[in-house]
Amino acid sequence: MLTIQKIQIYGFGKHENITISLNEGVTIFYGLNEAGKTTIQQFILQMLFGFPIRQQTQRKYEPKVSTKYGGQLTLVHPIYGQCTIERVKGKAAGDVSVYLEDGTTGHEELLTKLLYGYSRTSFESIFSFSLHELQGIEKMSEEELTHLLLASGTTGVQHLSALEKKMEKEANELFKKTGKVPVINQKVEQLKQLERTIKQEQGKILTFEDKLKQLQLLEHNLEKLYSTQKLLQQQWQQLTIQKQALPLLKQQQILQQTLVNYQHVQFPPEGIRRYEQLKDRLLHESQQLKQLKEQYQTLQNQVLTIADEHTVNEMARLMQKEATWHQLMVKEQNLHDDLFMFEQEMKAQFRLLGVLETEAQENLLEETVSLQQEQQFQLQLSKLEEAEDELKFHLRSLEQVHLELETIAKQKQRLMQESLTNEEEHILAQWPQQKRKLEQLRAAKSQRSKQQQPHYFSWLVLLIGLLSLIYGVFEKNIVTTIIGAVLSLLTLLFIRYVKQADEPTSKEHSSLLRELEQEEMTVQAVLLKKQRYEDRWVHVNEQQKEKEQQYASLEYKIQQAEIEIEEATHTLQHFLKRYRLQGTIARTLMPELFMRIRSVQELAAKKNSTLSLMQEVQKEKQYIYKQLQQVLEGAYDEQEIYMYLRTAYLEAQQHQQQVQQTKEQLAGLKIKMDGGQSKLDRYTTEMDELLNEAQVPNEQAYYEMYEQFEQQKNIMTELQTVQAQLASLNLPQRESLVEDTVNEDIHALEQEQNSTQLAIDQCLAQRAALLIEKDQLLNDEKYGQLLQQFEQEKAELQQLIEQWATKKAVATAIHETLFRLREEKLPHVLVEVNAIFRLLTGGRYDKLSIHDEGYFVAQDVAGLRYQMAELSQATKEQAYIALRLALAKTLVSTAPFPIIMDDPFVHFDRNRTNKMVQLMKEVGYERQILYFTCHDTMLKHWQKEQIVDIGALANERGVAST
């Protein structure tokens, strides 16, 4: 059988980093609600069959805290041996790896082989069931319940039955014998309607020949009418031309008479345009010349105000000194800052030296601080420091010696306490007498040891006798045995006699000897203590004498050091008074005294040098400042004076540039004014020439002459137009035309044209109607489209019929397959079902069977039959479980999977629960069973090693809460 040995969870739901080892047979997973039982069950299923994808409704159990998702299952496979299945987060169903014990590695293909090709749905339909499935049995109808039991007892029936219903439904949606909604029924009705429409179109096609004959007759009549209309049109055109020529002839006569009055008129070509153009130019040039004169006068007035070039040059020269000015300003400020810094440093040095009066400070600055004087001062100072250091050292040494003398005194007191007691003195006084007794006893003991040496010979004789006895016994020599026995007995008697004689004296001496030896040891300890005491007392006395000598020597040295300090101090004070240094100077400053005095003198020298340099800078700056005031003609702040100079310089430069530009503009204006005056003279001459050419004295007469010239030109143009129109009419007899006769002929001709046009319109209308009908019969595609649509509908109907036939054939085949499965495979399963069902019901029901109508019935021991809907909820569940387990037993060779149960016996009473436990134990010999429950009443039926406490496992391994 296929057994799960170990569950290792990396991260799945609320579980993280836990490992569970399983045994064969039954394993109970116990835990309260929310402990994670269903999570472990789903972990096993998803490790085997993959994580759910988006289209599936199952939960993925991705951990909320841990980043790891997945785990391992270790299996024992009946074919491949030990296998490890690892699935982690990856593609849709996760990345799976399979490791076999022979080193083979694979993925989904190898996993499919391990699982015998089963999918999760087929696995759960047989080997996994829960309380929710059993609870759903109560709500099922008789047909649904029978179908569920049938599906539980045969593999694949549930899917085949669902497919059968689907095919039957889809076939009914395509066709029903008496239906109107199905697609095939609607298609048949549409084909009948198309057939009726096609017959109507065939009747219309038969009228085509009659319409052709009518069209030919209308065409002949139209040709006659068109000929008549053309002839009338030609006549009408001729009369129209004659009518148009009548007013032209009249107008020609009038124009010729008017043209005689304008024969004396003369005017230059384009005279008005030329004159007005010259007049406009003359006016434009006059205005421009006036403006130029005004600009010329204005610029001349501006040129009079010429800037002083010497002042500008002086400004430019001073602008070049701007950098020098700023450098002097900065240098002055820096020198001022240096002076302030020197003064502050000198004041600080004077404060450190204690020289606060001005006179003393001046005297100190004038004093000589040579290296020789400094060396003498440092020598006295070093003597003072050495004397002070020596005094401090001697004082510390004196204090140390004093402490050591006190320590020695305490040691002498302790030694006096450690001296010998009276008892110890008494022991030492008595010891010479006791020592003599000890020596006597030791001599007596030595004498007895020498006397006991012959006993060794006795013991040797005894050993020889015993060996002779033993030898005689083994060799069965009576003489040797007797001799050995007698010799041994006599020797023993002799040894006993000697020992009894010496025993009393020996005991007394030994006791006394031990006492004296103990006393000797005590005396030796007391003597050692006395010797140590005396040695230490002598040593302490020697130390005390040595320290007292040191104490006296140190007192003398301290007196000498104090005298040296006093002399050195007096010498230093005399030296300081020479430099007018008053008060007490800190000892830390004395080594630096000459350096500080020399530093103050150096600062004073730097201050004087800086002051003289600043005076030079101020002098140079004042010289430049006076020049700036002269140029700017006013007093300004030193910081801003160059800003005002730069502004004034820029204004002067701009003014000079403006003057130069103005002079150039004046020259240009002069040239423009001369050119404008020459143009005015030329325009005036040309205007006079135009007046002379028109033979008029002034402008008004010139315009009147132009109007007469225009009238003459218009009359001549109009006359030419009329003559051209008459020429185009091509009338042979222009003078014989009479207006009344022409109008009468036109009126009669128009009436005849109207009657002819009316007849033509009637014929055209009839012909158009016939042509439309003809074109509709010839070009109308409705009949062809109807035929094409009819064939297309027939083809679609044929496809639908084929689909219906296919689905009907599939449904029929599935129905026959289900019948065959029920008749052939189910009886083998029912044999196992009846045994399990009989066991679970305690023998109350004998068997489960299928009625002729296809329904399941339960038969009790009395032979009564009950339909499944008549049974109690628990009995229905027992029938369902019996079918599931029976099917699993029949598949033990082809699908040896473990059975997974999720608390399915919650509705069972105690008796039925016990029966179910008994059945699980029997099935556990053939398959592994994983039972998940939250009821502790189930735990008493199983051994401790078969129970996995999920709550305890969480506390031990650590479970991350989701």
Side-chain angles (χ1 to χ4, degrees):
M1 60 181 172
L2 192 151
T3 307
I4 300 176
Q5 276 191 340
K6 186 172 67 174
I7 300 172
Q8 185 175 357
I9 301 177
Y10 303 156
F12 192 84
K14 70 188 296 181
H15 297 301
E16 179 184 356
N17 295 331
I18 64 172
T19 302
I20 306 172
S21 298
L22 306 179
N23 300 319
E24 295 183 356
V26 181
T27 300
I28 306 298
F29 289 85
Y30 169 72
L32 300 177
N33 292 335
E34 300 295 330
K37 303 184 299 299
T38 306
T39 303
I40 295 177
Q41 177 195 0
Q42 290 298 317
F43 174 79
I44 295 171
L45 293 174
Q46 293 189 20
M47 287 298 104
L48 293 174
F49 301 103
F51 301 136
I53 58 178
R54 292 183 179 178
Q55 292 78 10
Q56 295 175 333
T57 58
Q58 290 96 340
R59 180 183 167 190
K60 293 190 72 172
Y61 289 91
E62 290 193 42
K64 297 295 179 63
V65 178
S66 175
T67 57
K68 297 181 292 185
Y69 179 38
Q72 285 186 0
L73 287 182
T74 302
L75 312 177
V76 176
H77 197 277
I79 299 174
Y80 297 97
Q82 189 175 28
C83 312
T84 300
I85 301 171
E86 181 183 38
R87 191 181 294 271
V88 295
K89 186 175 183 180
K91 58 184 182 180
D95 294 336
V96 64
S97 300
V98 182
Y99 307 96
L100 304 183
E101 61 181 358
D102 61 356
T104 305
T105 303
H107 300 285
E108 290 288 352
E109 297 79 7
L110 182 56
L111 180 60
T112 304
K113 293 180 181 179
L114 293 179
L115 300 178
Y116 299 94
Y118 273 69
S119 64
R120 176 169 177 170
T121 305
S122 58
F123 176 87
E124 289 182 320
S125 65
I126 303 172
F127 304 103
S128 176
F129 53 94
S130 63
L131 172 64
H132 303 292
E133 297 178 9
L134 299 180
Q135 287 177 341
I137 294 176
E138 180 66 27
K139 302 177 182 179
M140 293 183 180
S141 63
E142 181 71 22
E143 183 178 357
E144 291 173 344
L145 184 59
T146 299
H147 180 72
L148 175 64
L149 294 175
L150 182 63
S152 300
T154 53
T155 57
V157 169
Q158 187 172 2
H159 300 296
L160 288 174
S161 179
L163 184 59
E164 178 192 5
K165 289 182 179 179
K166 181 180 178 182
M167 292 294 105
E168 191 68 33
K169 180 181 178 182
E170 292 178 356
N172 290 333
E173 289 176 354
L174 289 174
F175 177 71
K176 282 185 180 180
K177 189 174 181 180
T178 59
K180 293 183 179 180
V181 178
V183 181
I184 293 178
N185 298 70
Q186 293 180 1
K187 284 290 181 184
V188 171
E189 186 64 30
Q190 290 176 4
L191 286 173
K192 290 180 181 179
Q193 183 65 30
L194 279 173
E195 189 175 4
R196 289 193 292 269
T197 306
I198 289 171
K199 289 181 180 179
Q200 292 176 359
E201 292 297 327
Q202 287 177 348
K204 293 180 180 179
I205 294 173
L206 299 176
T207 60
F208 180 70
E209 294 181 357
D210 294 337
K211 289 181 172 51
L212 285 177
K213 293 179 180 179
Q214 293 177 9
L215 278 172
Q216 292 176 358
L217 181 60
L218 284 172
E219 291 291 343
H220 182 67
N221 291 334
L222 280 171
E223 289 179 0
K224 291 181 178 179
L225 290 172
Y226 280 137
S227 300
T228 305
Q229 188 182 33
K230 185 176 181 181
L231 181 60
L232 293 174
Q233 183 67 25
Q234 291 175 356
Q235 294 176 1
W236 182 81
Q237 290 178 352
Q238 188 66 31
L239 290 173
T240 302
I241 290 170
Q242 292 177 3
K243 186 177 180 181
Q244 292 175 353
L246 289 173
L248 291 174
L249 292 171
K250 291 181 180 179
Q251 188 177 5
Q252 182 180 8
Q253 293 176 359
I254 295 169
L255 291 173
Q256 289 175 351
Q257 292 174 2
T258 305
L259 188 59
V260 175
N261 299 327
Y262 292 94
Q263 290 180 357
H264 64 283
V265 176
Q266 293 182 0
F267 200 76
E270 298 181 354
I272 290 296
R273 182 187 64 79
R274 290 163 61 191
Y275 185 81
E276 290 181 350
Q277 188 175 12
L278 291 171
K279 184 179 179 181
D280 292 339
R281 290 177 180 177
L282 182 64
L283 179 62
H284 177 69
E285 290 297 332
S286 300
Q287 293 177 351
Q288 280 192 344
L289 184 61
K290 182 178 179 181
Q291 292 176 357
L292 289 173
K293 289 180 179 180
E294 292 176 354
Q295 291 178 6
Y296 188 83
Q297 186 63 35
T298 303
L299 292 176
Q300 273 189 337
N301 296 331
Q302 292 178 359
V303 170
L304 297 177
T305 58
I306 300 174
D308 187 4
E309 292 184 1
H310 176 73
T311 303
V312 175
N313 294 333
E314 185 66 19
M315 286 182 179
R317 185 182 67 81
L318 290 174
M319 283 299 297
Q320 292 176 358
K321 292 186 178 182
E322 182 178 7
T324 305
W325 171 263
H326 290 299
Q327 289 176 359
L328 291 173
M329 293 285 291
V330 173
K331 192 172 183 179
E332 182 185 13
Q333 183 62 37
N334 292 338
L335 292 172
H336 187 272
D337 294 340
D338 291 343
L339 283 173
F340 179 77
M341 182 183 66
F342 292 149
E343 290 175 355
Q344 294 298 320
E345 289 182 0
M346 289 175 65
K347 288 179 181 179
Q349 294 294 338
F350 282 133
R351 282 196 298 271
L352 290 174
L353 294 171
V355 181
L356 303 177
E357 296 181 359
T358 306
E359 183 180 357
Q361 291 176 358
E362 292 176 353
N363 293 331
L364 181 63
L365 293 174
E366 294 174 356
E367 286 291 340
T368 303
V369 284
S370 63
L371 293 175
Q372 183 178 4
Q373 293 176 345
E374 183 179 3
Q375 187 176 4
Q376 292 177 0
F377 181 80
Q378 293 294 339
L379 180 60
Q380 294 297 326
L381 184 61
S382 61
K383 286 182 179 180
L384 177 62
E385 290 176 351
E386 290 175 359
E388 289 177 346
D389 293 339
E390 186 176 358
L391 177 62
K392 291 178 182 178
F393 175 74
H394 293 328
L395 288 173
R396 286 196 300 270
S397 300
L398 184 65
E399 185 178 358
Q400 182 68 29
V401 171
H402 182 72
L403 292 174
E404 290 176 355
L405 286 172
E406 291 179 352
T407 304
I408 291 171
K410 292 179 181 178
Q411 288 180 357
K412 292 179 71 175
Q413 291 178 0
R414 286 196 298 271
L415 285 174
M416 290 177 67
Q417 293 175 359
E418 294 176 0
S419 62
L420 297 178
T421 62
N422 295 330
E423 183 180 356
E424 291 173 344
E425 293 287 349
H426 179 71
I427 290 172
L428 291 177
Q430 296 293 329
W431 173 242
Q433 184 180 358
Q434 297 293 337
K435 185 178 182 181
R436 288 192 294 271
K437 289 181 181 180
L438 178 61
E439 290 175 352
Q440 292 174 0
L441 289 172
R442 285 177 177 172
K445 183 178 179 182
S446 175
Q447 187 66 28
R448 283 196 301 272
S449 298
K450 292 178 180 179
Q451 292 176 356
Q452 289 176 0
Q453 288 180 358
H455 289 307
Y456 297 126
F457 178 74
S458 300
W459 288 105
L460 180 60
V461 173
L462 177 61
L463 179 60
I464 293 171
L466 291 173
L467 291 174
S468 300
L469 177 62
I470 294 169
Y471 179 77
V473 172
F474 278 101
E475 295 294 331
K476 296 181 180 181
N477 190 335
I478 298 173
V479 176
T480 306
T481 304
I482 293 171
I483 293 171
V486 172
L487 184 61
S488 299
L489 180 60
L490 291 175
T491 305
L492 285 172
L493 291 174
F494 175 75
I495 293 172
R496 183 177 181 185
Y497 173 76
V498 174
K499 186 175 182 181
Q500 288 177 354
D502 294 338
E503 185 174 356
T505 306
S506 178
K507 286 183 179 179
E508 292 177 359
H509 287 182
S510 297
S511 177
L512 183 58
L513 181 62
R514 283 195 299 273
E515 291 178 359
L516 291 175
E517 286 178 348
Q518 289 179 356
E519 188 175 353
E520 181 184 19
M521 292 174 63
T522 302
V523 170
Q524 289 178 352
V526 172
L527 289 174
L528 180 62
K529 178 179 178 184
K530 182 179 179 181
Q531 183 66 33
R532 289 179 179 175
Y533 171 76
E534 291 175 352
D535 293 341
R536 291 174 64 186
W537 183 262
V538 172
H539 178 69
V540 168
N541 286 332
E542 291 177 354
Q543 284 184 344
Q544 186 175 11
K545 290 179 181 179
E546 182 182 358
K547 295 300 178 182
E548 287 176 351
Q549 292 176 359
Q550 290 181 2
Y551 193 84
S553 175
L554 288 172
E555 286 182 342
Y556 176 75
K557 290 179 179 179
I558 289 171
Q559 292 177 359
Q560 294 295 324
E562 288 176 348
I563 294 171
E564 291 179 1
I565 289 171
E566 185 177 356
E567 291 177 355
T569 303
H570 179 72
T571 303
L572 287 174
Q573 291 295 333
H574 177 72
F575 198 91
L576 292 174
K577 287 180 180 179
R578 177 183 172 186
Y579 289 96
R580 309 291 178 89
L581 297 176
Q582 300 176 357
T584 302
I585 298 176
R587 183 64 59 82
T588 56
L589 293 177
M590 285 188 177
E592 303 175 359
L593 182 63
F594 273 84
M595 181 186 69
R596 293 187 179 277
I597 295 174
R598 193 177 293 114
S599 176
V600 169
Q601 292 178 352
E602 289 176 358
L603 288 173
K606 289 180 180 179
K607 176 184 175 184
N608 294 330
S609 174
T610 303
L611 185 61
S612 62
L613 184 61
M614 187 172 70
Q615 290 175 355
E616 294 177 0
V617 170
Q618 289 177 346
K619 182 178 179 181
E620 184 177 358
K621 188 184 74 170
Q622 188 64 27
Y623 175 72
I624 296 173
Y625 183 71
K626 289 181 179 179
Q627 293 178 349
L628 290 170
Q629 284 182 332
Q630 291 176 359
V631 171
L632 295 174
E633 298 178 354
Y636 296 95
D637 184 64
E638 292 181 353
Q639 300 291 337
E640 298 178 354
I641 192 166
Y642 257 93
M643 180 183 69
Y644 291 109
L645 176 64
R646 190 181 301 106
T647 303
Y649 179 64
L650 290 175
E651 290 178 355
Q653 282 185 330
Q654 291 175 359
H655 188 64
Q656 281 189 335
Q657 291 177 358
Q658 290 176 359
V659 169
Q660 185 64 29
Q661 292 174 359
T662 303
K663 289 180 179 179
E664 293 175 356
Q665 290 177 0
L666 285 172
L669 288 175
K670 182 64 176 176
I671 294 171
K672 290 180 181 180
M673 288 169 60
D674 295 340
Q677 187 63 43
S678 62
K679 288 180 180 179
L680 286 177
D681 296 340
R682 188 176 69 252
Y683 295 155
T684 303
T685 303
E686 291 179 358
M687 291 175 68
D688 293 338
E689 291 177 354
L690 288 174
L691 293 176
N692 294 330
E693 189 175 352
Q695 297 180 0
V696 292
N698 52 34
E699 182 179 342
Q700 183 178 357
Y702 186 80
Y703 279 106
E704 291 176 356
M705 182 60 70
Y706 171 72
E707 290 178 358
Q708 294 178 7
F709 176 75
E710 285 294 321
Q711 290 177 0
Q712 178 188 16
K713 187 167 67 173
N714 291 335
I715 292 170
M716 290 179 67
T717 302
E718 189 175 356
L719 180 60
Q720 291 176 359
T721 302
V722 170
Q723 290 176 351
Q725 290 177 353
L726 289 173
S728 64
L729 293 176
N730 195 12
L731 295 175
Q733 296 178 357
R734 298 179 183 177
E735 294 78 6
S736 61
L737 290 177
V738 179
E739 184 176 0
D740 295 336
T741 303
V742 171
N743 289 333
E744 289 176 358
D745 293 340
I746 289 173
H747 181 70
L749 187 60
E750 286 178 352
Q751 289 180 351
E752 188 174 356
Q753 281 181 334
N754 291 334
S755 60
T756 304
Q757 185 64 40
L758 183 60
I760 290 171
D761 293 340
Q762 290 177 355
C763 290
L764 289 174
Q766 292 177 3
R767 188 182 69 171
L770 290 173
L771 286 173
I772 291 171
E773 293 178 0
K774 173 188 173 184
D775 291 338
Q776 287 178 350
L777 292 174
L778 289 175
N779 300 325
D780 191 6
E781 298 179 356
K782 185 176 181 181
Y783 181 69
Q785 291 175 353
L786 289 172
L787 290 176
Q788 183 178 359
Q789 184 180 0
F790 183 76
E791 294 298 329
Q792 185 176 356
E793 295 289 342
K794 281 175 63 178
E796 291 178 0
L797 178 62
Q798 184 64 29
Q799 291 178 358
L800 292 172
I801 291 171
E802 291 175 358
Q803 293 178 11
W804 176 82
T806 302
K807 295 181 185 297
K808 201 68 177 177
V810 171
T812 304
I814 292 173
H815 182 74
E816 293 176 356
T817 302
L818 290 175
F819 180 78
R820 187 168 61 256
L821 284 173
R822 189 179 67 183
E823 296 297 327
E824 295 177 1
K825 187 174 182 179
L826 190 58
H828 299 289
V829 178
L830 289 178
V831 174
E832 296 287 341
V833 169
N834 292 332
I836 298 173
F837 190 57
R838 192 180 304 113
L839 173 65
L840 293 179
T841 58
R844 181 176 178 183
Y845 291 93
D846 186 50
K847 65 178 180 179
L848 281 174
S849 60
I850 299 179
H851 194 266
D852 295 337
E853 296 180 358
Y855 292 98
F856 268 96
V857 293
Q859 181 177 334
D860 63 5
V861 293
L864 296 177
R865 294 172 177 259
Y866 300 91
Q867 294 184 1
M868 297 308 297
E870 297 175 345
L871 300 177
S872 66
Q873 171 71 10
T875 306
K876 294 177 186 176
E877 294 175 1
Q878 288 173 335
Y880 180 76
I881 294 171
L883 283 165
R884 279 287 186 97
L885 295 180
L887 178 59
K889 291 183 72 175
T890 59
L891 297 174
V892 70
S893 61
T894 58
F897 293 113
I899 297 175
I900 301 174
M901 301 181 183
D902 189 2
D903 221 356
F905 315 136
V906 67
H907 292 137
F908 288 13
D909 56 21
R910 182 171 54 83
N911 186 29
R912 291 181 176 179
T913 302
N914 292 336
K915 296 293 183 182
M916 194 64 223
V917 170
Q918 179 183 353
L919 178 61
M920 288 173 62
K921 290 180 178 179
E922 293 178 2
V923 176
Y925 291 110
E926 299 178 354
R927 290 182 182 270
Q928 186 182 34
I929 297 178
L930 306 179
Y931 185 85
F932 296 83
T933 182
C934 63
H935 300 283
D936 54 3
T937 55
M938 285 292 294
L939 304 181
K940 64 183 180 180
H941 299 288
W942 310 98
Q943 297 179 2
K944 186 176 181 181
E945 58 269 14
Q946 292 180 287
I947 300 172
V948 177
D949 190 346
I950 298 177
L953 185 67
N955 294 330
E956 292 174 5
R957 304 290 179 86
V959 177
S961 177
T962 58

